[in-house]
Amino acid sequence: VVFIFTAPWWLSIIGQHGFAPLLAAFQTGSLTDHQNNLLTLFIGVGFVGQAFWGFLGLVGMVRLIAERNYLLPAWISVIFLLEPRISVVFIATPLAMVGAIAIGQIILPSLERLNPAGKSTGVDGLVARVIFFLFLLGLGITTALNITPPKTSEKDRDAMLWVAQNTASDSQFALVTRHVPWYNDNIGEWFPVLAQRQSVMTVQGTEWLPGFSQRVQDYETLQGCATQDAACLDSWAQQVGKIYSYVLLTVGGSDNYALRMSLIASPNYEIVYDGAGATIFKRKP
């Protein structure tokens, strides 16, 4: 059914661009790159709240497998294999279902057996269930509050606004934001829109283009220059074949200190903007 209903989309893509975009999309995440998602969720390495929900789901999956009911465990496993990068988002529905099985078939029945005779005392069982659900409610709220959506601060937007108002429209920027991995780089993602200028190494939006994995490596190499000197930028540009006229260096404690000091001392760069969110260097001809 999914194959039929999505046919207008993938047929039009294949008709206009061939299979290249679809094949390129499979490069956006591999199991080896994002195996920590699996570890965080089911083994407890990482966020405590997420690990608990994963453990609850794991208990439910063990129950289903013991009953030879493989649909939901297979559903979760396939998601991890096909889309490891954001698998922890896509498994929300089946994870909630197996978690409900763990609660309904294992945890709640066990709360009824509060005395040696195996009979519930009524009030004690009710109190135990209320405490358990209050615990789930509190943990759910805590988990939600700990998830901070990526956003650009006002000082970041001020720097981008300055770029839009004070640089030529064909200017090209190398952004050293120290946001690794690439999908956490909200500054690089929003820069082309808010600054109206080209970022030579923004990764977001290129998932459908060939050579995506290489672009991610080039991005990480550029961010690595933050702890080195200006020569690192020149070497990087020559290696990847990029031309840039400005360097935007985010202000973030000691992370970018080495590169910042090197750019200030270099005769090939001059500071054109120094704000709370970023320092912008112009590359001299």
Side-chain angles (χ1 to χ4, degrees):
V1 171
V2 172
F3 186 78
I4 294 174
F5 274 93
T6 58
W9 174 76
W10 55 260
L11 281 175
S12 64
I13 294 294
I14 295 174
Q16 293 182 14
H17 307 287
F19 288 95
L22 301 178
L23 295 176
F26 280 99
Q27 302 178 32
T28 60
S30 65
L31 190 59
T32 55
D33 294 334
H34 303 283
Q35 58 188 346
N36 59 304
N37 288 346
L38 182 62
L39 296 176
T40 296
L41 195 62
F42 291 118
I43 301 181
V45 181
F47 300 104
V48 175
Q50 293 182 9
F52 174 79
W53 302 118
F55 172 76
L56 199 64
L58 185 61
V59 172
M61 287 200 298
V62 171
R63 176 62 179 259
L64 290 174
I65 293 174
E67 296 175 347
R68 297 185 178 181
N69 190 341
Y70 302 115
L71 176 60
L72 290 178
W75 185 356
I76 293 176
S77 300
V78 168
I79 290 176
F80 269 105
L81 292 175
L82 293 182
E83 186 50 272
R85 180 160 67 90
I86 49 177
S87 53
V88 291
V89 176
F90 289 158
I91 69 167
T93 298
L95 182 65
M97 296 169 73
V98 295
I101 290 172
I103 294 174
Q105 298 184 15
I106 299 177
I107 297 178
L108 291 184
S110 68
L111 295 179
E112 293 292 338
R113 294 188 285 271
L114 299 177
N115 55 47
K119 297 180 180 180
S120 172
T121 59
V123 176
D124 291 343
L126 177 62
V127 170
R129 290 194 293 273
V130 169
I131 292 175
F132 175 70
F133 280 110
L134 286 176
F135 164 75
L136 290 182
L137 176 63
L139 184 61
I141 294 174
T142 302
T143 303
L145 292 177
N146 285 337
I147 300 176
T148 303
K151 58 184 178 181
T152 57
S153 65
E154 183 177 356
K155 58 185 181 182
D156 295 328
R157 297 194 298 272
D158 287 342
M160 298 181 198
L161 178 62
W162 183 92
V163 170
Q165 295 177 344
N166 296 276
T167 63
S169 59
D170 59 349
S171 300
Q172 296 176 311
F173 282 74
L175 309 181
V176 183
T177 63
R178 294 291 285 160
H179 288 286
V180 178
W182 63 270
Y183 44 81
N184 289 335
D185 189 358
N186 50 297
I187 296 176
E189 182 172 9
W190 280 99
F191 182 87
V193 176
L194 300 181
Q196 292 295 305
R197 299 295 183 268
Q198 181 183 3
S199 166
V200 297
M201 197 38 65
T202 290
V203 179
Q204 290 93 334
T206 65
E207 292 90 338
W208 296 92
L209 301 179
F212 176 80
S213 298
Q214 182 61 50
R215 188 173 182 86
V216 171
Q217 294 179 18
D218 294 341
Y219 168 85
E220 294 174 349
T221 302
L222 173 61
Q223 303 312 312
C225 289
T227 58
Q228 301 185 48
D229 56 17
C232 178
L233 293 177
D234 297 331
S235 175
W236 170 84
Q238 183 177 8
Q239 177 183 351
V240 302
K242 296 293 183 181
I243 299 175
Y244 62 91
S245 48
Y246 292 88
V247 176
L248 185 149
L249 192 64
T250 55
V251 177
S254 60
D255 284 349
N256 300 323
Y257 182 80
L259 181 58
R260 176 183 172 84
M261 292 298 101
S262 178
L263 290 173
I264 292 176
S266 173
N268 299 325
Y269 295 88
E270 63 175 331
I271 294 179
V272 293
Y273 176 86
D274 194 8
T279 302
I280 300 176
F281 297 85
K282 184 176 182 180
R283 192 181 190 186
K284 297 180 181 179

